[in-house]
Amino acid sequence: MELLQGRIRDYAWGSRTAIARLQGRPVPSEGPEAELWLGAHPGAPATVDRDGSPVSLTDLLIAEPDHWLGERLIGRFGIRLPFLLKVLAADAPLSMQAHPDAEQARAGHAADADRVNYVDPYHKPELLVALSEFDALCGFRDPAESAAVIAAFGVPALEPVVAALRGGPAGLREAVRLLLSWPAAERPGLVADVLAAEVAGPDAVLARGLAVDYPADPGVLVALLLHHVRLAPGEAIWMPAGNLHAYLRGTGVEIMAASDNVLRGGLTPKRVDVDELLRVLRFEVLDEPVVAPVPVAPGVVTWRVPVEDFALHRVELAAGDPAVRLALPGPRVVLCLAGGLTVDDGVGPILLAPGQAAVGTASAGPLVIAGEGEAYVASCALP
């Protein structure tokens, strides 16, 4: 394997402690550090060393596709790494958003000459595993519950929204359309009326918290249509295409199909394309957004999701534990979270400290991890 140098994205909602602390750098960092990208997406490709100079993983895949990706992977996904591994560290809410499915992404990219909504032709399902306590909004809950919550605020202007929600899942689309199409001049007053209501409970707390940053954003009310979950470390949420979601606060390891297609739905100063979002969203109740880890070997768990683009495994080894051997298809990326671990795929062993990552090629052998510590392993999930 080879050491892999990730790229840090400095989005404004990022933490100034989480990624710096993981990598053993001074805390706080000079600015927000929102995501550590460990992949080959052209937006911020990770690098490996070649004769003392960094070379992007993207360039290496193009130069030696058979070596890095292998015939099976190229046949299924083309000459690209189909997954992107990240560390995500949020100190403030991310925008509410959804992602297209594969067919929508292909068609949208072909039609979107200005790349406003569809920057690439790929879907973007996501799995996030909490490293700390993690708050998120994910997927529509029962619209009858949402109707009761919004009705309790007693705001007459919201009665059409309540009526739509009382129509069941079929009314979800109209409720979202009404809220996101609210006249801009009336939005501050609408949110203020909701916050002025003498209502207690977790939903009111959520709305008031979001309104601190977005006092004129109807996404504050759309948030009340979604599941609000608080993950414990090790729990995960799975976001398939078309599910509206927002990460609110916390640190996690995220793996996704390598795409940057985002359709925003609020909690953002950026553009919200209401019509396109409504076309992509799945207006159905997401019964259970939380995914539990599944043991697959001593010290190894995974989170099973129905895509071939990626798989994620966590390896935890205590002192004296035998090495773990993983036979995973295609290239592998390993991120060390704690301790000290040696990773070897037959090409050469690499010792990883917390915050360091390594990458191996498809032509290498099975991955062997030894030592004492914790690591996450990203790979494809081809059968």
Side-chain angles (χ1 to χ4, degrees):
M1 300 200 83
E2 298 185 70
L3 285 174
L4 184 69
Q5 183 64 47
R7 297 277 297 278
I8 292 177
R9 310 309 300 269
D10 59 353
Y11 309 133
W13 47 263
S15 168
R16 295 185 64 194
T17 60
I19 295 176
R21 184 174 289 122
L22 170 63
Q23 295 186 324
R25 294 184 281 109
V27 172
S29 57
E30 293 184 0
E33 297 179 338
E35 297 179 345
L36 173 65
W37 285 28
L38 296 163
H41 190 279
T47 62
V48 298
D49 181 82
R50 286 292 183 271
D51 299 322
S53 298
V55 177
S56 83
L57 189 55
T58 306
D59 289 344
L60 290 175
L61 301 185
I62 294 171
E64 302 177 282
D66 290 336
H67 175 61
W68 279 95
L69 298 169
E71 184 178 338
R72 290 181 63 214
L73 206 81
I74 294 171
R76 172 65 178 84
F77 299 107
I79 300 177
R80 66 186 188 94
L81 188 66
F83 61 83
L84 174 60
L85 182 67
K86 297 181 180 179
V87 177
L88 183 147
D91 266 2
L94 285 67
S95 61
M96 194 178 299
Q97 58 191 258
H99 310 298
D101 63 26
E103 182 178 347
Q104 291 167 336
R106 284 192 297 269
H109 183 73
D112 189 359
D114 296 327
R115 303 293 181 253
V116 175
N117 289 323
Y118 296 95
V119 298
D120 56 52
Y122 309 115
H123 68 165
K124 192 186 177 186
E126 302 174 348
L127 176 76
L128 182 136
V129 181
L131 297 178
S132 68
E133 190 174 81
F134 197 100
D135 281 323
L137 304 170
C138 45
F140 290 113
R141 62 181 178 178
D142 186 336
E145 294 179 20
S146 301
V149 167
I150 293 178
F153 288 107
V155 177
L158 288 172
E159 288 177 1
V161 176
V162 174
L165 291 170
R166 286 175 175 160
L172 270 173
R173 187 184 192 280
E174 177 63 7
V176 173
R177 187 195 69 79
L178 286 169
L179 290 171
L180 293 183
S181 302
W182 212 272
E186 300 175 13
R187 291 177 178 183
L190 176 67
V191 175
D193 287 344
V194 169
L195 300 184
E198 295 183 1
V199 177
D203 293 291
V205 171
L206 172 65
R208 291 178 182 127
L210 294 175
V212 170
D213 295 312
Y214 302 103
D217 193 323
V220 170
L221 301 180
V222 178
L224 302 177
L225 311 184
L226 306 178
H227 293 284
H228 181 199
V229 299
R230 177 163 292 171
L231 301 176
E235 290 184 320
I237 44 176
W238 159 240
M239 285 292 99
N243 274 270
L244 196 59
H245 63 283
Y247 301 144
L248 303 181
R249 192 173 301 272
T251 303
V253 169
E254 186 178 30
I255 189 167
M256 62 184 62
S259 170
D260 209 18
N261 287 324
V262 176
L263 291 161
R264 294 178 177 85
L267 306 182
T268 178
K270 297 180 179 179
R271 175 177 176 270
V272 175
D273 187 333
V274 176
D275 291 339
E276 189 64 16
L277 178 68
L278 293 176
R279 193 180 73 84
V280 164
L281 283 179
R282 294 180 180 175
F283 292 100
E284 54 194 35
V285 175
L286 183 63
D287 292 326
E288 182 49 72
V290 178
V291 181
V294 177
V296 294
V300 183
V301 300
T302 192
W303 296 263
R304 290 183 175 143
V305 292
V307 293
E308 293 181 339
D309 308 66
F310 61 79
L312 186 67
H313 292 78
R314 185 184 68 212
V315 176
E316 292 183 299
L317 293 174
D321 284 349
V324 166
R325 184 179 184 274
L326 297 173
L328 301 171
R332 286 72 57 99
V333 175
V334 183
L335 170 65
C336 180
L337 265 292
L341 294 168
T342 298
V343 293
D344 190 3
D345 57 6
V347 175
I350 296 288
L351 178 61
L352 296 179
Q356 289 186 315
V359 62
T361 70
S363 63
L367 178 63
V368 177
I369 303 178
E372 180 181 0
E374 177 184 7
Y376 283 80
V377 182
S379 68
C380 293
L382 292 174

